[in-house]
Amino acid sequence: MRNKISSTITKAVFPIAGLGTRFLPVTKASPKEMLPIVDKPLIQYAVEEAYAAGIRQMIFVTGRTKRAIEDHFDTAYELESILEYSQKQQLLESVRNVTPDDMHCMYVRQNRTLGLGHAILCAEKLVGDDDFAVILADDFMIAEQPVMAQMVEQYKRLQKSIIAVQNVPRTQTNLYGIVSGSEVQPGLFGMNNIVEKPLPDEAPSTMAVVGRYILAATIFEELRNQQPGIGGEIQLTDGIASLLKKERVFSYHFNGKRYDCGSKIGYLKAVVDIACSHPEVSGSFNSWLKNKVQSTHAQTTKQNQSDYFA
Ligand code: G1P
């Protein structure tokens, strides 16, 4: 019997043990979650999103080559004293703000990459009996109200698992967990089915799971009993499908924009979009980008004309 204490979400799990093969060779010795969006790594954005939702306990499910993440969220005494000594106040603050005083980081190692469901199961002892959030750092989100804060707001009313979803082209259903359900409120759906990476003609809908979950702690029992699913991995999606047979689960069509930073093109789009509004570089970056677009356009037009008259 669970002894749930909190009626809000206080813990977030960040599965970061993945190999990041799509970004090799940069991910050979460093974590993909440390890829920078201008000057902040993906994982910092993810942690800031959790923090903005009132979450203070951050649980990282880590693996080999991921030590840079622990260092990033640790105090950097030498660096801080050098910045203090040279009176670089703004930089000092940017370093200190990575880990606010009331935030607590915990680490557990996933020593075999057996899938997302297995990664979540590795966090069981640290999560305990409370419902918790899961954030996949390579799904980078921009929203007026941070996406996890939107979800925690929903959770406070529902006290049930909530999975963030987004509509995708049918040709891409094989890249995502796909859900179906019926709308109970604008943007909120009572889930009735969830399948991991179905082929386009087998997908129950085009509503795709993106990397934000609020999960009831009862998910652990389902994950413990899960057999390997697609790709031979213990899938979180399959655990949610089992949970769905026992209790209500909701899917939530969030407000905001998602960048798939697990892919090169998604990552590049995120970098460009953030650079365009970055307080330090936006001015010069925007004018460079404008020139770049104009000259590329001019070149393409010239090329098309010479192809036409060739
Ligand atoms: C994982 C999940 C999948 C979800 C996706 C979102 O897949 O298994 O259900 O839709 O994240 O990014 P992955 O991208 O790790 O293959």
Side-chain angles (χ1 to χ4, degrees):
M1 189 63 192
R2 289 199 303 139
N3 182 22
K4 184 172 126 174
I5 301 165
S6 181
S7 59
T8 186
I9 298 295
T10 58
K11 296 167 187 164
V13 175
F14 302 88
I16 52 169
L19 298 175
T21 46
R22 282 195 276 172
F23 276 91
L24 281 169
V26 73
T27 47
K28 184 182 172 201
S30 31
K32 69 170 174 181
E33 296 80 6
M34 288 300 287
L35 286 171
I37 306 286
V38 186
D39 50 11
K40 260 198 265 179
L42 280 169
I43 189 68
Q44 189 178 336
Y45 281 101
V47 167
E48 285 177 357
E49 190 184 321
Y51 191 89
I55 295 169
R56 296 293 177 266
Q57 297 183 60
M58 312 297 176
I59 300 168
F60 300 86
V61 182
T62 159
R64 278 170 53 76
T65 78
K66 302 287 177 163
R67 255 194 52 191
I69 294 176
E70 290 179 44
D71 290 344
H72 188 73
F73 291 101
D74 199 356
T75 311
Y77 290 109
E78 280 169 313
L79 178 64
E80 287 185 24
S81 54
I82 291 167
L83 293 173
E84 205 159 12
Y85 181 74
S86 48
Q87 298 187 336
K88 296 198 166 140
Q89 204 53 36
Q90 225 179 329
L91 288 179
L92 181 62
E93 262 159 44
S94 76
V95 168
R96 284 193 176 145
N97 289 345
V98 174
T99 320
D101 289 340
D102 60 348
M103 185 173 107
H104 186 54
C105 295
M106 292 168 270
Y107 300 88
V108 59
R109 196 101 170 192
Q110 182 187 16
N111 55 12
R112 284 177 302 161
T113 43
L114 297 180
L116 183 57
H118 176 254
I120 302 303
L121 202 48
C122 291
E124 181 176 9
K125 288 237 158 52
L126 292 176
V127 169
D129 289 336
D130 281 329
D131 299 348
F132 62 102
V134 174
I135 297 189
L136 308 185
D138 55 10
D139 274 329
F140 174 65
M141 306 284 204
I142 298 187
E144 215 162 285
Q145 181 188 20
V147 176
M148 188 47 75
Q150 296 174 33
M151 293 173 72
V152 168
E153 209 169 276
Q154 299 285 343
Y155 172 82
K156 283 181 184 165
R157 266 182 324 109
L158 302 165
Q159 300 289 307
K160 293 283 175 208
S161 301
I162 306 167
I163 321 292
V165 293
Q166 162 183 71
N167 214 358
V168 296
R170 190 162 273 278
T171 49
Q172 292 179 10
T173 58
N174 60 332
L175 302 175
Y176 298 94
I178 299 291
V179 307
S180 63
S182 41
E183 197 160 23
V184 289
Q185 261 173 35
L188 189 71
F189 299 76
M191 197 186 284
N192 56 32
N193 195 4
I194 181 166
V195 198
E196 182 68 2
K197 304 197 169 97
L199 294 171
D201 54 357
E202 286 164 10
S205 82
T206 53
M207 277 292 185
V209 174
V210 292
R212 300 294 180 276
Y213 308 75
I214 287 179
L215 296 171
T218 38
I219 191 71
F220 290 123
E221 199 181 324
E222 306 309 320
L223 288 172
R224 236 177 285 124
N225 298 325
Q226 238 14 264
Q227 294 303 312
I230 194 165
E233 296 187 339
I234 309 284
Q235 296 291 350
L236 178 57
T237 298
D238 295 344
I240 297 170
S242 308
L243 189 67
L244 198 50
K245 292 182 189 141
K246 300 183 183 163
E247 57 183 67
R248 290 194 84 186
V249 176
F250 292 88
S251 55
Y252 173 64
H253 199 157
F254 64 94
N255 297 310
K257 190 164 178 195
R258 164 192 175 252
Y259 299 84
D260 174 13
C261 287
S263 78
K264 286 176 191 154
I265 191 74
Y267 171 69
L268 290 171
K269 286 179 188 172
V271 172
V272 170
D273 269 1
I274 292 296
C276 283
S277 57
H278 189 281
E280 195 185 318
V281 298
S282 59
S284 44
F285 185 73
N286 276 311
S287 54
W288 173 83
L289 190 60
K290 199 171 152 206
N291 285 340
K292 172 87 187 150
V293 170
Q294 277 168 353
S295 66
T296 310
H297 180 70
Q299 252 174 18
T300 320
T301 315
K302 212 169 138 195
Q303 185 63 44
N304 286 348
Q305 281 169 349
S306 56
D307 286 353
Y308 183 79
F309 291 112

